[in-house]
Amino acid sequence: MKTKALGNKQIMSENIKRHLAQKRLNVKEFSEIMEFKYTTVLDWVNAKTYPRIDKIELMARYFGVEKSDLVEEYSEVSSTLSEINKISEQLDKPRQKIVLDTASSQLKEQKKENAKVVSIKTEQQKQGIDLADLVDDSKVDWDKWVSFDGKPLTDEVKEAMKKALGKQLEDK
């Protein structure tokens, strides 16, 4: 978790360093390959200055990324999505359809799993029941409840939860 937002120079610096590391290049080698002045690239990497748009375009082309991958704050999620898009764009249409169908299937499965997960707090609010009602089988449909892995609760777990809830009520 970041405590403060990075400035544009810092974002550019981090992104250049990340791409250099992926290519296993140091600043000197990169500046020579790109025919950029070494001290200029060093200033970018040290977040002292910000490159002009023409230099950003050249770097993006060299690294094989979008310009946004250099100027925007790096995110593992957006990086993964970006990779999926880059690979998918290179596939023939029938193979792109397979990627889309797979992603749709995964999303549907995820939604189904998430729908199974019920928290005590949510169930209390939704059904308008209080904690005492959770130990009363006539007021709660325990068969709708699932464990953290999405599997139905066993009878033993249901009884243990009722006992724990009952104990919590006694302690109040």
Side-chain angles (χ1 to χ4, degrees), residues 13 16-46 59 62-63:
S13 166
I16 292 172
K17 286 190 254 186
R18 183 170 37 82
H19 287 294
L20 287 176
Q22 287 172 350
K23 291 257 188 198
R24 293 186 170 87
L25 291 174
N26 63 37
V27 174
K28 182 92 172 123
E29 294 165 333
F30 178 65
S31 63
E32 289 170 0
I33 290 168
M34 298 301 293
E35 298 180 356
F36 295 159
K37 194 172 166 188
Y38 170 72
T39 55
T40 301
V41 177
L42 200 56
D43 285 346
W44 298 338
V45 169
N46 291 326
M59 285 190 286
Y62 176 76
F63 290 130

Side-chain angles (χ1 to χ4, degrees), residues 134-137 142 153-167:
L134 291 174
V135 294
D136 184 349
D137 285 332
W142 284 95
L153 299 178
T154 63
D155 290 336
E156 295 82 27
V157 170
K158 290 177 196 174
E159 289 307 313
M161 285 181 68
K162 288 179 209 174
K163 282 180 186 172
L165 289 167
K167 176 75 175 125

Side-chain angles (χ1 to χ4, degrees), residues 10 12 22 26 33 69 81 91 128 137 149-150 152 169:
Q10 293 164 312
M12 177 63 70
Q22 287 172 350
N26 63 37
I33 290 168
D69 291 338
L81 292 175
L91 295 172
D137 285 332
D149 61 4
L169 283 170

Side-chain angles (χ1 to χ4, degrees), residues 15 18-19 22 64-66 68-70 72-88:
N15 288 335
R18 183 170 37 82
H19 287 294
Q22 287 172 350
V65 299
E66 299 294 322
S68 61
D69 291 338
L70 291 172
E72 294 175 4
E73 197 163 357
Y74 176 73
S75 154
E76 194 69 44
V77 172
S78 67
S79 176
T80 300
L81 292 175
S82 179
E83 271 307 301
I84 291 169
N85 287 334
K86 283 180 202 165
I87 292 169
S88 297

Side-chain angles (χ1 to χ4, degrees), residues 44-151:
W44 298 338
V45 169
N46 291 326
K48 290 182 181 177
T49 61
Y50 192 85
R52 294 188 327 241
I53 188 67
D54 61 320
K55 302 299 186 202
I56 294 171
E57 288 171 348
L58 289 170
M59 285 190 286
R61 207 171 306 137
Y62 176 76
F63 290 130
V65 299
E66 299 294 322
K67 288 180 288 204
S68 61
D69 291 338
L70 291 172
V71 300
E72 294 175 4
E73 197 163 357
Y74 176 73
S75 154
E76 194 69 44
V77 172
S78 67
S79 176
T80 300
L81 292 175
S82 179
E83 271 307 301
I84 291 169
N85 287 334
K86 283 180 202 165
I87 292 169
S88 297
E89 287 171 356
Q90 298 173 47
L91 295 172
D92 295 333
K93 291 288 180 198
R95 292 178 186 272
Q96 287 178 350
K97 177 83 170 95
I98 292 169
V99 171
L100 177 61
D101 290 346
T102 302
S104 297
S105 170
Q106 288 294 306
L107 180 60
K108 186 186 250 181
E109 188 177 307
Q110 177 179 295
K111 285 179 177 178
K112 194 184 290 186
E113 287 172 6
N114 289 344
K116 289 180 183 177
V117 177
V118 179
S119 75
I120 291 174
K121 198 74 161 167
T122 305
E123 200 61 24
Q124 277 182 273
Q125 292 167 348
K126 190 170 74 181
Q127 294 184 19
I129 56 180
D130 66 16
L131 197 55
D133 291 337
L134 291 174
V135 294
D136 184 349
D137 285 332
S138 66
K139 295 183 180 179
V140 176
D141 184 1
W142 284 95
D143 293 330
K144 288 184 180 175
W145 293 46
V146 294
S147 60
F148 288 109
D149 61 4
K151 294 180 181 164

